[in-house]
């Protein structure tokens, strides 16, 4: 069922900075370039996803980038630097013009953020997860009804994190599922979002196994890069 690109709002997970990808202000250009090379190997590519999805955008953001769009620029920048963020990478996918009408996946977003230490990544992740668990999801998705929020078991290979599966019915009764998964592997924090849409009456567990497999692949890919210091040839976008 084709709905177009990422029709639901990003919601409180993004507002809680689970997506934040930043670079420590003290890093020099060479360090930033090195971090970007590593992060490029820590995300999914179009080859990992269902046929019909194409890369829509890719971006890198620094601490200053995030602070510049914050209400409290100085406070945000100080917080990012205190936690040792170095750089983050974001890639998004959407259905191609010629994607089959049967394609359930409406959009995928993957980010990876590298920190100076695992403790810094852990602090940022835990703050975001705490905020997400306090969120009133019915307010986040006011146009959907019968909103249900499940927190499935994380896939293997992650050190810690949370997976929020938000499902609801649109005005026509179609089922919309918004999977948002945030986790840490070592000193890298990853975020995976997948938006899927189905006809009325579809089981709300649809596509859970596939999203779990993507999360496991991400965790393994991050672990491989951290262990070897360079992306594997098959993991670069």
């Amino acid at each position: 069922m084709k709905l177009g690109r990422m029709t639901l709002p990003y919601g409180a997970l993004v507002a809680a900075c689970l997506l934040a990808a930043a670079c420590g202000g003290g890093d020099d250009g060479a360090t930033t370039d090195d971090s970007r090379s590593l992060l490029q190997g820590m995300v999914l590519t179009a080859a990992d996803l269902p046929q019909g999805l194409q890369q829509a955008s890719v971006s890198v953001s620094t601490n200053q980038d995030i602070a510049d769009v914050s209400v409290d620029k100085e406070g945000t920048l100080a917080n990012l630097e205190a936690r040792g963020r170095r750089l983050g990478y974001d890639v998004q996918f959407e259905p191609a013009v010629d994607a089959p009408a049967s394609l359930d996946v409406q959009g995928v977003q993957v980010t990876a953020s590298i920190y100076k230490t695992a403790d810094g990544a852990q602090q940022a992740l835990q703050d975001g997860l705490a905020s997400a668990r306090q969120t009133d999801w019915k307010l986040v998705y006011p146009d959907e009804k019968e909103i249900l929020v499940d927190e499935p078991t994380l896939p293997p290979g992650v050190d810690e994190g949370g997976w929020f599966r938000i499902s609801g019915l649109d005005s026509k009764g179609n089922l919309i599922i918004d999977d948002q998964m945030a986790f840490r592997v070592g000193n890298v924090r990853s975020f995976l979002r997948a938006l899927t849409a189905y006809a009325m009456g579809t089981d709300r567990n649809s596509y859970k196994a596939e999203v779990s497999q993507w999360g496991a692949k991400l965790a393994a890919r991050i672990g491989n890069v951290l262990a070897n210091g360079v992306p594997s040839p098959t993991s670069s976008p």
Side-chain angles (χ1 to χ4, degrees):
M1 175 182 296
K2 186 175 291 187
L3 295 182
R5 70 172 68 184
M6 303 293 258
T7 53
L8 289 182
Y10 284 116
L13 282 182
V14 178
C17 293
L18 287 185
L19 268 179
C23 171
D27 290 332
D28 58 24
T31 302
T32 297
D33 290 342
D34 290 344
S35 297
R36 176 170 181 163
S37 177
L38 293 176
L39 288 168
Q40 285 177 328
M42 296 179 179
V43 296
L44 298 178
T45 72
D48 299 311
L49 303 173
Q51 186 174 2
L53 290 175
Q54 64 180 8
Q55 183 173 302
S57 67
V58 60
S59 62
V60 175
S61 57
T62 67
N63 282 352
Q64 191 63 58
D65 292 331
I66 295 175
D68 285 344
V69 296
S70 171
V71 175
D72 180 9
K73 295 184 179 182
E74 293 184 1
T76 298
L77 184 60
N79 184 52
L80 296 173
E81 292 180 345
R83 288 179 173 170
R85 277 200 189 95
R86 294 171 58 190
L87 196 72
Y89 192 82
D90 178 297
V91 59
Q92 300 188 33
F93 304 87
E94 66 182 14
V97 175
D98 59 351
S102 59
L103 181 66
D104 296 322
V105 184
Q106 305 301 302
V108 174
Q109 181 173 20
V110 185
T111 75
S113 305
I114 193 166
Y115 291 72
K116 294 178 180 178
T117 67
D119 286 345
Q122 181 182 50
Q123 291 171 13
L125 176 63
Q126 288 301 324
D127 281 355
L129 292 174
S131 178
R133 290 179 177 126
Q134 295 172 5
T135 296
D136 185 341
W137 293 102
K138 293 181 180 179
L139 295 179
V140 176
Y141 301 100
D143 296 329
E144 310 301 319
K145 60 182 180 180
E146 298 184 28
I147 296 289
L148 294 179
V149 181
D150 185 27
E151 194 167 341
T153 301
L154 285 165
V158 309
D159 291 333
E160 61 179 333
W163 176 3
F164 299 85
R165 168 163 266 236
I166 307 104
S167 61
L169 305 179
D170 67 11
S171 60
K172 298 180 180 179
N174 298 315
L175 174 65
I176 310 297
I177 301 178
D178 193 3
D179 283 290
Q180 299 189 35
M181 184 189 301
F183 60 83
R184 178 183 65 84
V185 177
N187 63 321
V188 174
R189 188 183 56 169
S190 182
F191 177 83
L192 166 65
R193 183 189 188 209
L195 181 67
T196 50
Y198 310 90
M200 183 186 306
T202 303
D203 191 317
R204 295 202 185 210
N205 285 317
S206 296
Y207 231 87
K208 182 185 288 187
E210 289 84 348
V211 175
S212 182
Q213 289 170 2
W214 292 346
K217 179 173 288 189
L218 271 174
R221 195 161 286 176
I222 293 168
N224 178 70
V225 175
L226 291 177
N228 296 300
V230 293
S232 64
T234 59
S235 65
S236 299

